[in-house]
Amino acid sequence: MPDPYDLGGAAAAAAAAPTGRFARRTAGMTASEIRALFAVASRPEVVSLAGGMPNLAALPLDTLAAEIAQLVAAEGQTALQYGSAQGTPALREQICEVMRLEGIDADPNDIVVTVGSQMALDLVTRIYCDPGDVVLAEGPSYVGALGSFAAYQARVVHVAMDAHGLVPQNLRDALESLARQGVTPKFLYTIPNFHNPAGVTLAVERRTEILEICATYRVAVVEDNPYGLLGFSGTVYPALRSFDRDVVYLGSFSKTFASGLRVGWALVPPAVRDRLVLAAESATLCPPTFNQMIVSRYLQTQDWRSQVKTFTEAYRERRDAMLAALATYLPPDCSWNVPDGGFYVWLTVPEGVDTKAMLPRAVTARVAYASGTGFYADGFGTRQLRLSYCYPTPERIEEGVRRLAGVLGAELDVMRTFGVPARTLRLRSGPDAPSPDTA
């Protein structure tokens, strides 16, 4: 009698191959194909205007070291132990105080602490989306969000922005088009303040209109707001969540304190909370208690509002240095936004230049940026690139832009000489798995 478990020959070999056992959804999980270039870009001779790393130089490290040592000595038995999947009660109370600055009145019981807001976004996508479901997102959108959507096999429909953020009529048009196809998106994913990567801010008068449109079409709203307190004019915009308690709000301490601690959170409606906690338990069992208690102690003992102001002043100085350098060095027919907060400038280059194809030549010229195609799920963005001013010094920013201008000039010279776009390096379009290079 034949052995039913004897697959034989080629079938057995295929089953034995590790990739042959992967789930189909892993096809959407792809590492960035430009990551090798960023490994080169991390060399000190390369000016990296690519990654969104916060500048931590202004943190009072000696004071923090003393506070952490005291925390371990006094509360080490708790800090180094397992904790709740929902997060420590003390930190959830403090998160409510932080969000109150944006007009949010929250119950600590509706907060789930996560390992960075990226984890919160991933868990929200997991509990909302089946394969083939549609998610609406601004075009362009955060590469980490697009990576999560792809990993869960959701289809992204982009909604165009202008200088004042997501355009309500564009959102309405997209929803009407999908409704004619019998499709209701699971949610709208939006970054309303100091957008990553576009750098724009959603006009206050548009916020309630967008919520009303989504309510009409029965579409949930996921608001991602890591930069909300980093406005250069001192303005703190009202969160979408402050207008509607059904909004899922994602927050993080990565931009206002320390990204390496990986402490973020989701504020969710009660009907979502229990499922989100269960999803968090299956992912990590619990977020690190030690990291949460460090953040909690920092909020309790330090003047964190003044620290945020210090960060903001440093970023504004760097933003100004970048804008001045762009105006000085870039060739004609380039355009860019003027961000009033956050980390990024979104640059559009002349027609015919492919920023993804140009990136290896930029790295050779010792400057790096994030090409625009990574911020779209549909291959758009070849004429765009994201420049980050948060980490380099103003002097390095100017030098990086000067080098970038030289690379752009060379591309345009090739086009003028031969009448065709410069040579291209074909890399896959669409979202990549998130990494610190594109965060």
Side-chain angles (χ1 to χ4, degrees):
M1 182 174 181
D3 184 351
Y5 299 103
D6 183 6
L7 299 178
T19 56
R21 295 191 289 268
F22 288 164
R24 285 190 295 271
R25 65 178 173 273
T26 61
M29 301 168 62
T30 55
S32 170
E33 295 176 8
I34 58 173
R35 191 170 293 168
L37 292 172
F38 285 112
V40 177
S42 66
R43 297 174 181 172
E45 67 271 19
V46 177
V47 179
S48 178
L49 305 176
M53 292 189 300
N55 193 311
L56 305 182
L59 278 176
L61 296 181
D62 291 345
T63 301
L64 289 174
E67 291 287 351
I68 292 170
Q70 187 177 357
L71 170 64
V72 173
E75 301 180 76
Q77 292 281 358
T78 300
L80 301 177
Q81 186 56 274
Y82 288 125
S84 164
Q86 193 170 352
T88 65
L91 181 59
R92 287 189 279 120
E93 291 274 2
Q94 291 167 310
I95 287 171
C96 289
E97 293 298 317
V98 172
M99 292 190 297
R100 194 163 288 124
L101 297 176
E102 298 170 329
I104 298 175
D105 182 18
D107 185 331
N109 290 323
D110 294 334
I111 292 171
V112 179
V113 178
T114 55
V115 183
S117 62
Q118 178 66 39
M119 175 185 170
L121 176 58
D122 190 86
L123 295 179
V124 166
T125 308
R126 186 202 299 188
I127 65 176
Y128 270 91
C129 292
D130 290 314
D133 282 342
V134 169
V135 171
L136 295 173
E138 291 136 338
S141 189
Y142 167 50
V143 66
L146 298 180
S148 287
F149 303 153
Y152 291 105
Q153 298 174 287
R155 182 164 65 95
V156 176
V157 173
H158 285 297
V159 182
M161 296 184 287
D162 63 15
H164 304 289
L166 186 66
V167 179
Q169 187 57 51
N170 292 345
L171 175 61
R172 189 178 287 107
D173 291 344
L175 286 165
E176 289 178 356
S177 175
L178 290 167
R180 288 193 295 271
Q181 303 170 47
V183 175
T184 299
K186 283 300 181 75
F187 56 79
L188 166 68
Y189 170 74
T190 179
I191 308 170
N193 300 319
F194 321 126
H195 189 276
N196 177 10
V200 300
T201 294
L202 180 62
V204 173
E205 59 270 19
R206 292 183 180 181
R207 299 187 179 215
T208 53
E209 184 179 1
I210 285 169
L211 291 171
E212 289 166 0
I213 293 169
C214 288
T216 298
Y217 287 87
R218 301 178 64 82
V219 174
V221 176
V222 177
E223 176 182 18
D224 196 356
N225 191 30
Y227 309 98
L229 300 183
L230 298 176
F232 299 146
S233 66
T235 300
V236 178
Y237 294 95
L240 297 176
R241 170 72 191 214
S242 70
F243 300 112
D244 184 346
R245 296 182 67 85
D246 287 332
V247 170
V248 173
Y249 177 98
L250 309 182
S252 175
F253 290 106
S254 291
K255 309 302 188 292
T256 56
F257 179 27
S259 56
L261 291 175
R262 309 305 301 131
V263 177
W265 71 89
L267 170 64
V268 296
V272 178
R273 180 191 59 224
D274 292 343
R275 286 181 173 83
L276 191 63
V277 171
L278 291 173
E281 284 180 333
S282 72
T284 62
L285 190 63
C286 62
T289 304
F290 184 49
N291 295 20
Q292 293 177 75
M293 292 181 72
I294 290 174
V295 175
S296 183
R297 195 176 187 94
Y298 170 77
L299 295 174
Q300 179 184 357
T301 65
Q302 304 300 307
D303 186 358
W304 63 270
R305 290 178 178 83
S306 293
Q307 185 65 56
V308 170
K309 183 179 179 182
T310 299
F311 283 143
T312 302
E313 290 171 350
Y315 296 142
R316 181 173 57 229
E317 179 187 19
R318 286 161 166 76
R319 187 272 318 254
D320 292 346
M322 177 164 284
L323 294 177
L326 292 173
T328 300
Y329 295 111
L330 253 59
D333 299 326
C334 292
S335 62
W336 55 88
N337 66 303
V338 178
D340 63 340
F343 287 3
Y344 306 112
V345 167
W346 187 241
L347 174 66
T348 299
V349 299
E351 185 73 40
V353 177
D354 184 329
T355 61
K356 195 165 194 176
M358 187 177 72
L359 182 55
R361 298 184 288 277
V363 172
T364 299
R366 296 175 297 149
V367 61
Y369 57 81
S371 56
T373 53
F375 300 98
Y376 287 89
D378 50 16
F380 281 85
T382 57
R383 284 186 61 198
Q384 281 76 42
L385 58 88
R386 189 192 72 178
L387 298 174
S388 173
Y389 50 77
C390 51
Y391 190 76
T393 64
E395 294 76 19
R396 292 279 284 174
I397 289 170
E398 180 181 7
E399 176 59 21
V401 172
R402 188 190 66 78
R403 295 176 187 178
L404 176 61
V407 176
L408 265 173
E411 298 287 295
L412 295 172
D413 284 345
V414 171
M415 292 169 58
R416 283 191 291 266
T417 301
F418 297 102
V420 295
R423 63 195 185 282
T424 59
L425 171 66
R426 289 299 171 194
L427 300 175
R428 187 187 61 82
S429 297
D432 297 311
S435 74
D437 302 322
T438 48

